[in-house]
Amino acid sequence: MNSQERRVVITGLALHTAAGTSLEAHASSWWEGHSHFSTIDSYSTEGTSVRFAAQCPTPDLSRLPDKKVRKILTKKDLISLVTTIAAAEHAGVTAGTVDPERFGMYVGAGSTQIGDLTPYFELVKSCVSDGVFDSARFGRDLLSLVNPMAVLTTLMNNGLCFGAISLDIRGVNGNFMDFQVSGLRAVGEAFRALTAGRADIVIAGGVASPVEPFHVGSGVRIGYLARTGDDGVAAEQVVRPYDLTREGTILGEGAAYLVLEEETHARSRGAPILGRIHGYGQAADGAFTFMQETHAPGLVRAMRQALDDAGESAENLGMIVGHGNGVRGADQAEASALVELLGKSVGRVPVTSPKGVLGELSEPAGVVSIALALDALGRRSVPPTFNYRQGDAVTAQLALSDAPQELNGTLAAVTARSFLGLASCLVVSLA
Amino acid sequence: MKDATGATPKKRRVVITGIGAVTPLGNDRETTWRRVLAGESGAAPVMQFDATTWSTTFACEVRNYKRPKDAVLPDHATLLNKPSDFGTAACYEAMLDSGVHGAVDPARFGISFGCGIGAVSPKQLARMLRGIERVPGLGDLSRRVEASGETNVTIQNHPGTLAFLMSARWNAVGPVSTIHTACASSGQSVGLAFLQIQRGEADVMLAGGADSIAGELLMAGFCLLGALSRRNHDPEGASRPFDKDRDGFVASEGAAMLVLEEREHALARGAHIYGEVAGYGETESAYRITDLPPDGRGTVQAMQQAIADAGLVPSDIGYVNAHGTSTELNDRIESLAIRRVFGDHCRNLLVSSTKSEVGHLISAAGALEFVFCALAIRDGLIPPTRNLESTNCDSGLDYVPRVKRERQVKAALSNSIGFGGSNSSLIVARH
C-alpha cells in the first residue's frame, strides 16, 4: 500500500489511574467532578507541605502469568503492564493474532526515582562514617546485602520490555523520556510509524509513578506542586487549571495506552474503531523556568504542525484538551500560545483540562487527554474544567468553563507540555 | 508530514556533517579514533572510587575531562550530571565540526538523544539519607528537600535533561526527544533523528548519546547481575568480544554526538560530509529482559530492515560494527544473527567490536559505534577486535582480530542490542 494513503485509527484504549480502570469511571471524573486525591500512603507526610496525591492501587497480580516477573516489576511497571494488556484486549489483540514483526510499541515512561533505589539505602547508610562514604566497604558488602535482581527493577524501559514479551511485539519500538510530553510523543511516533508503513499496529502510551518523597519535595521547592499541608483547603479544590487563584498542581500516577492501527488492517480483522488520528506535531521552547514561564512558542509550533499535518486550521477545532495543570506560569504560557494560535477564534473553540480532578499524571497525561477527547466528541459536548472560576488576564481569553460547553466541530487538539519547555500536539476525531 | 503544497515530500536523504566524542580513549573524536584503530584499551583499575574490594575492580573511565567553556549555557551548568557533562562536550565538538550553528532555522533544528539515568552517587544519596532512621519511611527526605533546596538532583539525573540543555544552548527548538532503551538507546536516537529529517520534520538534528555506568551505584547493579568481567588481574584484556575466554563486559562512560543534516541543506552550505545515513532498522526481541532469543530473531530482523531501508543487498555491506559485548550469550547469538543475514557474503565481510577498546557505554554505545562506522568509511580503515585470540562463536566470521585492516567499504552497519529487547541497526554509506 502507498504510505501516503495509510490512515491511522484507534482500536483500543485502557486507563489505569486513581479514578479506576474503566473509561466510564474516568468520564465520571471529568464530567461530574469526582476527584481522586488521597493522603500519600507510600511514606509519612508528617511535617511536609504535600499530603495529597492521586494514587492508584497496585494492580491485581493474578493477571500476570509469570511469577518471576512479578518480583522484578515496580508498581510503575506493573501498572504499565496490566494497562498494556488491557488496551490490547480492548482492541481484540492477543499474542499471535497479528504479525509480530508488524506489531510495535512506543512508551513514554517516567524516570527511575531516588525512591526506587531503596534496596541500596541501608547499605549506603551503613557505609557512611563521619560524613565520609566508604566505597570499599560498599563494594565488599554489596553482593551479600543487596538482592541481585534489584538493578532490574530500576530499568526505565521495563514497561516496553514486559509489554513486548507479553504480547509478542517484535516491531518498531521506543521508550521516550521527555517528562510530561512523553506519552503523547509515544503516540505521535506510533502514528508516524503507521503512516510510513513501518508497522500495521502499535500500542502506545505512557506510565508514571512519581509519588515519592524526593520528587515531591523537589516539586514543592521549585513551585510546581501546590502545598497541600494543614491549610484547610480540601484536596479536591487544590488543582485549579487556568484559574486566577491557581497555586500549583498535585501529582498523580497511572498509565494510559492506546492501540493504533492502520485502518485497512483494523477493518480487515473487524476491530472496533474508536477514533482517528489526523496529525501530530512536536517542538521545544529552548528555555525553561520549571513551568513559571509566560510564553510557550514551542506549543504554538507543535500545534501548527499537527494542524498542517491534518490539513486543518485552528478555527475548525471542535475543542482543545490543554495541559492545564494549575501551575501559575505554565497555564499562562499555554493560554498565551492558544490565544496566538486561535486568533479571532479564541472565544469560540472550547478548552478544557481534566487535571482539576485527576492531578498531574505527567507522562501518561496526554494519553488520558486523548481518551477525554474521544469521550467528549462522542457526547458532542466538552467536559468542564473543574475548579476554574475566573481566569487571569491571559487565561480569561480562552473559552473555559466549569460547566459543559458545546463543541465547535468534530476535531479535537490534544496537547502536552513539559516543565523543560517541550510540547506535543495530536489532532484526533471520532471514526 | 505534508509540505507547504500539501504533498507528502519524497524521501529526503540524510548525511553526517559533524561528529564529536568523549570516551575513555580520548576527549575528542580524532584521539579516540586513532587509539581505537591502534587497538588500545581504555580499561584500568577504577580511579573515581575505591573499588579494590569489589567483584570487579576496573572500568573504562574518561580521564582528564574538561568541559569546553561554551558547551552549556552558564545558568545550566548546575543541572549537569557526569554523563550529561560529557554530552555537552561531544555536542560542542560535533557542532563546531559541522559549522551548522547559525546556518539553520532553529525551528527546523532538533535534538534526539539516547541517555541513561547517570544515577545519583552514593555519596549524594548518603548525604540525603543522613539522620533518616526510618528507611524506607522517607517522609523526612521530602521535608528536608523542601527545606534545603537540593532540588537539582531530580533534574540532573533525568535522562531527558541533556536534550533540553542542548536545545537551549544551540537554539534547536524543533523536535526534541530522549530515548532510553538501555544499550539500544542511542542507536535508536540516531535512527529517530534520521527518520525525522527523512520525514521532513527537521533539516538538521543533533543526535547521539551520553552515559556512565562507571559510577558506584550503576556499576554495583551490573556487578550484582554478574554481567561485568571479573578479569581483575588484567583489565586491558578483559573486554574480549567473541573470544573463547570472555567473561563479561567492561563498564564504561562517555558520549558521542553526530550532526545529521538533510543532504541538500548540507550541500547548499558547502558542509563537509562524512557519509550518508542510508538505512535504519528497529525491532524488539520480545524474549527475556536480559537474554537474546536463541535464534537471534530481533537482531536479524533489525539488520534486514536496515539493509532493505537503504535499498541495498547484504553484499553491499563491507563492515559490521557488532554490539559485541564480550558476554557469552550476546557474542554467540549476534554472530549467528550476522551469519543468517549475510550468508555467503560473510567470507568478504569484516566484523569487529570496538567495545574491546572502549568498553560498554550502554546508552551512548550505539552512537559511538555508528561514529566508528562513519570514520571507517572515511579512512578506509576497519578497527580491530582487541584481545581476540581464539573464538568459540563458531560462525566463520572475520572479526578483525587485534590489528586494524585496510579496506574501502561502500557501506557499514552498526548493531545495538539492549536489555529489555530493543534492537537497532544503522547503516552509513559512502557519499
Side-chain angles (χ1 to χ4, degrees), chain B residues 299-312:
Chain B
T299 312
V300 168
Q301 186 191 337
M303 286 189 276
Q304 289 173 335
Q305 270 185 17
I307 292 167
D309 188 39
L312 300 176

Side-chain angles (χ1 to χ4, degrees), chain A residues 146-406:
Chain A
V146 181
N147 183 336
M149 304 304 279
V151 66
L152 297 181
T153 68
T154 64
L155 295 180
M156 294 177 285
N157 54 332
N158 274 345
L160 167 61
C161 168
F162 289 104
I165 291 171
S166 297
L167 294 163
D168 198 18
I169 294 169
R170 303 189 208 166
V172 296
N173 66 91
N175 187 56
F176 290 96
M177 309 292 303
D178 297 319
F179 300 92
Q180 292 88 343
V181 302
S182 303
L184 208 53
R185 184 147 297 176
V187 176
E189 194 56 32
F191 169 65
R192 292 276 184 250
L194 289 162
T195 55
R198 298 174 63 228
D200 293 328
I201 179 167
V202 182
I203 295 185
V207 61
S209 182
V211 186
E212 64 93 42
F214 197 91
H215 195 74
V216 171
S218 300
V220 174
R221 180 77 184 185
I222 62 178
Y224 172 60
L225 296 184
R227 293 178 184 272
T228 56
D230 297 318
D231 56 4
V233 177
E236 61 268 24
Q237 295 171 356
V238 170
V239 184
R240 302 187 287 275
Y242 310 111
D243 189 76
L244 179 65
T245 65
R246 66 191 181 273
E247 292 180 343
T249 198
I250 295 180
L251 289 176
E253 61 183 5
Y257 284 98
L258 305 176
V259 177
L260 271 56
E261 201 163 348
E262 191 277 320
E263 184 171 9
T264 57
H265 187 273
R267 293 197 185 281
S268 69
R269 66 179 190 86
I273 309 290
L274 310 176
R276 185 182 300 281
I277 297 184
H278 297 263
Y280 172 61
Q282 61 166 319
D285 291 345
F288 87 111
T289 51
F290 291 127
M291 290 196 160
Q292 305 306 323
E293 63 281 5
T294 54
H295 299 289
L299 179 60
V300 177
R301 287 198 310 279
M303 294 188 74
R304 284 191 175 136
Q305 282 174 21
L307 286 163
D308 288 349
D309 213 15
E312 293 288 348
S313 60
E315 64 188 27
N316 291 333
L317 285 172
M319 64 181 290
I320 295 171
V321 189
H323 193 81
N325 61 10
V327 176
R328 176 153 292 281
D331 286 5
Q332 184 181 338
E334 184 186 348
S336 168
L338 296 182
V339 168
E340 180 181 339
L341 179 88
L342 293 168
K344 292 178 182 173
S345 307
V346 69
R348 206 171 70 227
V349 178
V351 178
T352 188
S353 165
K355 293 189 177 62
V357 286
L358 292 176
E360 171 59 276
L361 289 159
S362 301
E363 283 78 1
V367 190
V368 172
S369 294
I370 294 173
L372 181 150
L374 296 176
D375 181 51
L377 292 169
R379 297 172 191 242
R380 298 212 48 77
S381 181
V382 179
T385 299
F386 282 99
N387 298 328
Y388 176 81
R389 302 281 186 275
Q390 179 187 354
D392 60 30
V394 183
T395 63
Q397 297 176 61
L398 303 178
L400 286 157
S401 174
D402 60 352
Q405 300 183 77
E406 276 189 36

